[in-house]
Amino acid sequence: MTTSSPGTRPAVPGARGSDLPRQLTVTVCFIVCLVGSMIGVGVFGGTPIAQAAGGALNADATYLAPASGAFSIWSAIYTGLGAYTLWQWLPSERTSERQRSLGWLVAASLLLNAGWILSVQAGWVGFSVLVIVALLAVLAVCFARYSRTPARNWIEAVVVDGTLGLYLGWVSVATCANIAAALSDAGWNGFGLAPEVWSITVLAVVAALGAALAAYGRGRLAPAAALAWGLSWIAVSRLNGELPSSGTAFAAVAAAVVVALAAVVYRFIGRNRIPAAATARR
């Protein structure tokens, strides 16, 4: 059995291998992802995502499509990913067990992000579902890993935990919208059920998953904030867009409230457990 001395972190999965290749890979992947995002918004002449693939992913394509304002969250996510890329080059982080555990996964997420944009640009809506599901899985593993060990300071909490939390929360919503778009594009009839029934069901599942994330992460705010943000913009789209659905809008708002409350409750419970555990050891 091995023990860790006070002030040191326990070993975590993935903490092995050379550090420099990991740092370089994260940096290169971030640049690739940034270029891909610029293509995705039409900076280099590419078709904006909302107009690509015949408009399969625009705000009025399905009941689960968020309004265009929702995508402004990418500014915060990309800023955070840029900060993370710089952060992992700090001498104190080069051999950090936490960064060794996360670095390769973050690099993979950046490539998958760029791959998703290119697949949509190519009109491969079905294939884009496979890419975004893989991206969601990678971010979920990141969440599981960084949730096991606390950040050493508030800067790391913002740059690492906050960034990856926003990333996970938003991609969770985007995955639902992407799957709905692919099914609609393929002409799926929903087994004869009304689209609103499916949208409300999916939103209920998202609310449950958001609560589960809050429980596992002991009330981490970033994933909940991104989830609530995306859900709220689905409501906006269904109330003000060309595909109105008051039932879907109500379900989206309810789901956002459940996710936010779950994060607050589990954060409060988690903070109270620490003093209680310290008292019990005295």
Side-chain angles (χ1 to χ4, degrees):
M1 179 184 298
T2 59
T3 58
S4 58
S5 58
T8 62
R9 297 185 180 187
V12 286
R16 59 180 181 275
S18 179
D19 297 305
L20 183 58
R22 183 193 73 249
Q23 293 172 295
L24 289 171
T25 301
V26 169
T27 304
V28 171
C29 289
F30 174 69
I31 294 171
V32 170
C33 182
L34 199 59
V35 171
S37 71
M38 291 180 180
I39 293 174
V41 296
V43 171
F44 297 136
T47 305
I49 293 297
Q51 300 171 21
L57 295 169
N58 71 45
D60 298 307
T62 71
Y63 283 163
L64 292 175
S68 58
F71 299 96
S72 62
I73 194 175
W74 277 116
S75 297
I77 293 173
Y78 282 127
T79 299
L81 288 171
Y84 173 85
T85 301
L86 295 175
W87 171 268
Q88 52 119 33
W89 279 103
L90 294 177
S92 61
E93 298 306 312
R94 180 171 184 174
T95 58
S96 164
E97 298 285 1
R98 209 167 190 243
Q99 302 317 317
R100 283 174 171 169
S101 177
L102 293 172
W104 291 109
L105 290 171
V106 173
S109 79
L110 293 168
L111 287 182
L112 287 167
N113 195 336
W116 182 84
I117 293 171
L118 294 177
S119 65
V120 173
Q121 289 283 341
W124 302 341
V125 182
F127 181 74
S128 72
V129 170
L130 299 178
V131 178
I132 201 168
V133 168
L135 172 57
L136 181 62
V138 168
L139 293 175
V141 175
C142 283
F143 179 77
R145 289 189 177 182
Y146 75 71
S147 293
R148 294 171 190 166
T149 54
R152 284 177 294 184
N153 51 58
W154 70 268
I155 300 177
E156 183 179 357
V158 172
V159 171
V160 180
D161 303 39
T163 296
L164 296 180
L166 287 178
Y167 201 3
L168 172 62
W170 171 251
V171 170
S172 298
V173 174
T175 299
C176 296
N178 199 166
I179 292 173
L183 290 173
S184 177
D185 189 59
W188 186 58
N189 68 358
F191 299 123
L193 295 175
E196 194 172 53
V197 173
W198 284 106
S199 63
I200 292 173
T201 301
V202 170
L203 290 169
V205 172
V206 172
L209 290 176
L213 283 177
Y216 186 87
R218 298 179 298 280
R220 289 178 181 271
L221 299 180
L227 271 167
W229 171 269
L231 291 166
S232 298
W233 281 100
I234 290 175
V236 170
S237 190
R238 298 290 66 79
L239 290 175
N240 300 317
E242 297 178 7
L243 190 63
S245 171
S246 57
T248 301
F250 176 81
V253 171
V257 171
V258 167
V259 170
L261 283 178
V264 172
V265 168
Y266 280 106
R267 192 172 186 85
F268 178 77
I269 292 173
R271 285 186 172 180
N272 281 348
R273 280 178 178 172
I274 294 174
T279 302
R281 287 196 297 266
R282 290 176 183 172

